[in-house]
């Protein structure tokens, strides 16, 4: 995967990619203590533009607060400015931005207050996260044998690095079984989300999605709810059982990395016609217009570099 770039933003300055390293004895590596974001920047007719940069910066600071970091020195405005700077320095147009707040020193007693927080921001050109053909053909998923986090165990509102061990368990199992992605149920057995995406169902022209209590409050999810409502669809947040997945007309997933992708098959059952359905297609198309600056919502959602 081409993760390389010319520069990475590390603790306030741009450093060459090869120098953006952390020592092996960094507690965040050993215990998964860190918070991160995944953000996309899109090529538009007015130059590169970061999709919902402010919301991502806010969620990064919220994740840090949830994990327990106190008195971090970065404001939302400074973070957005740093995202712009690192994209611009690398000369990228379409790219993915990855800020991580971690403990650069100390914290070996499992106490955040004993460590020094640091921030790094990498950027790279990342095309289709779920594969080149996923956008058109859709992907195949299974319901994972692993359960998604309980909100009082792993803090589902936060993108904590350690939370992604759960996603890795599910995704690895799913791919080894021959699927593309894993669907995860919450500890009560209701539909939660995928390993890195939120999930929507379409039945008889209405759109359904699980409530946010046990899932990451996706920024793409939020944008798609707005887009769907703009298009006149009713979007219903409700508890959804596993069997409902098998009988609806369409299922799609969304996230910053994956964007909008249909599920064509779940647990060896064809969903709808076994390919992207019309509602998913329409929402996917509007989403692509919005991120490229070609939609009335773009003005609110894009931060030009
Ligand atoms: C577990 C999980 N759910 C949902 C999402 C989608 O969130 P967003 O649309 O903000 O990228 C992500 C990706 O960040 C994720 O990791």
């Amino acid at each position: 995967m081409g993760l390389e770039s010319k520069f990475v933003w590390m603790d306030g300055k741009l450093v060459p990619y090869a120098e953006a390293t952390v020592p092996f004895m960094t507690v965040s590596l050993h215990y998964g203590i860190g918070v991160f974001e995944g953000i996309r920047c899109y090529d538009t007719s007015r130059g590169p533009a970061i999709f919902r940069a402010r919301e991502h910066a806010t969620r990064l600071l919220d994740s840090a607060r949830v994990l327990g970091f106190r008195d971090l020195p970065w404001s939302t405005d400074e973070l957005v400015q740093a995202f712009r700077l690192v994209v611009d320095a690398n000369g990228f147009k379409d790219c993915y931005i990855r800020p991580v707040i971690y403990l650069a020193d100390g914290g070996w007693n499992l106490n955040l207050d004993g460590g020094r927080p640091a921030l790094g921001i990498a950027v790279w050109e990342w095309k289709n996260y779920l594969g080149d053909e996923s956008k058109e053909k859709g992907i195949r998923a299974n319901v994972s044998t692993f359960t998604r986090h309980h909100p009082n165990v792993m803090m589902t509102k936060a993108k904590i690095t350690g939370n992604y061990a759960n996603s890795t368990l599910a995704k690895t199992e799913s791919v080894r079984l021959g699927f593309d992605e894993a669907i995860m149920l919450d500890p009560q057995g209701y539909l939660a989300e995928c390993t890195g995406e939120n999930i929507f169902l379409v039945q008889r022209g209405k759109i359904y999605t699980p409530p946010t209590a046990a899932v990451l409050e996706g920024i793409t999810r939020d944008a798609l709810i707005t887009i769907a409502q703009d298009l006149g669809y009713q979007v219903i947040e409700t508890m959804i059982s596993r069997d409902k997945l098998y009988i609806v007309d369409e299922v799609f997933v969304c996230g910053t990395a994956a964007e909008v992708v249909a599920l064509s098959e779940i647990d060896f059952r064809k969903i709808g016609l076994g390919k992207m359905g019309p509602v998913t297609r329409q929402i996917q198309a509007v989403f692509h217009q919005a991120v490229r600056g070609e939609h009335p919502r773009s003005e609110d959602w894009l931060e030009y570099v």
Side-chain angles (χ1 to χ4, degrees):
M1 204 159 79
L3 298 172
E4 295 80 12
S5 63
K6 281 191 234 136
F7 300 107
V8 177
W9 191 101
M10 295 288 279
D11 258 341
K13 54 181 191 295
L14 293 167
V15 302
Y17 180 84
E19 290 171 28
T21 56
V22 293
F24 173 65
M25 292 306 287
T26 299
V27 73
S28 290
L29 172 66
H30 297 245
Y31 300 139
I33 305 165
V35 297
F36 71 102
E37 266 305 314
I39 310 162
R40 271 195 191 272
C41 176
Y42 291 91
D43 189 16
T44 77
S45 60
R46 286 167 60 191
I50 305 172
F51 185 65
R52 307 195 74 177
R54 226 147 255 290
E55 286 89 336
H56 282 285
T58 302
R59 192 172 64 184
L60 181 67
L61 295 176
D62 286 348
S63 292
R65 176 189 286 259
V66 169
L67 185 56
F69 282 114
R70 293 194 290 204
D71 305 322
L72 291 179
W74 311 286
S75 68
T76 307
D77 284 343
E78 284 163 348
L79 290 174
V80 171
Q81 203 41 39
F83 301 159
R84 281 207 186 94
L85 187 73
V86 69
V87 170
D88 192 46
N90 284 288
F92 289 154
K93 291 176 178 151
D94 278 312
C95 56
Y96 182 89
I97 307 164
R98 165 56 56 81
V100 185
I101 298 174
Y102 60 101
L103 284 184
D105 294 309
W108 288 97
N109 53 0
L110 298 180
N111 173 2
L112 277 183
D113 299 331
R116 178 177 70 84
L119 168 66
I121 310 172
V123 56
W124 66 90
E125 290 178 302
W126 209 9
K127 300 276 184 260
N128 287 333
Y129 172 67
L130 291 172
D132 286 344
E133 294 184 336
S134 68
K135 286 282 158 51
E136 184 48 43
K137 282 183 55 185
I139 58 167
R140 298 173 59 247
N142 66 322
V143 173
S144 184
T145 65
F146 294 99
T147 300
R148 195 61 181 152
H149 302 301
H150 186 287
N152 209 24
V153 177
M154 287 304 282
M155 309 292 108
T156 53
K157 297 276 161 281
K159 279 183 82 77
I160 296 171
T161 55
N163 283 7
Y164 283 77
N166 175 255
S167 291
T168 305
L169 287 167
K171 178 82 176 203
T172 304
E173 176 191 59
S174 182
V175 173
R176 286 181 182 167
L177 287 169
F179 296 98
D180 305 303
E181 181 55 291
I183 298 169
M184 306 199 69
L185 307 179
D186 70 18
Q188 283 69 45
Y190 293 99
L191 184 60
E193 60 188 331
C194 293
T195 60
E197 301 86 26
N198 293 115
I199 188 163
F200 288 88
L201 286 64
V202 183
Q203 191 175 35
R204 291 190 278 280
K206 287 187 185 152
I207 300 177
Y208 300 85
T209 193
T212 54
V215 304
L216 187 75
E217 291 187 29
I219 292 168
T220 319
R221 175 188 185 278
D222 178 76
L224 295 196
I225 290 174
T226 301
I227 287 171
Q229 288 171 341
D230 284 351
L231 291 168
Y233 292 105
Q234 192 182 349
V235 182
I236 301 154
E237 292 186 69
T238 183
M239 310 283 267
I240 298 167
S241 58
R242 174 180 186 163
D243 45 10
K244 183 93 169 164
L245 284 168
Y246 302 151
I247 53 175
V248 292
D249 305 322
E250 301 179 35
V251 180
F252 60 93
V253 299
C254 72
T256 297
E259 299 175 299
V260 183
V261 174
L263 298 193
S264 56
E265 191 186 310
I266 298 171
D267 291 344
F268 302 106
R269 290 152 177 89
K270 224 190 246 184
I271 304 305
L273 298 172
K275 55 184 189 187
M276 177 161 45
V279 176
T280 307
R281 186 177 295 283
Q282 190 184 16
I283 289 172
Q284 187 194 65
V286 174
F287 177 76
H288 285 145
Q289 284 167 8
V291 299
R292 299 267 167 214
E294 296 158 4
H295 188 273
R297 291 275 177 197
S298 307
E299 208 43 46
D300 286 345
W301 286 345
L302 294 181
E303 198 80 42
Y304 289 90
V305 171

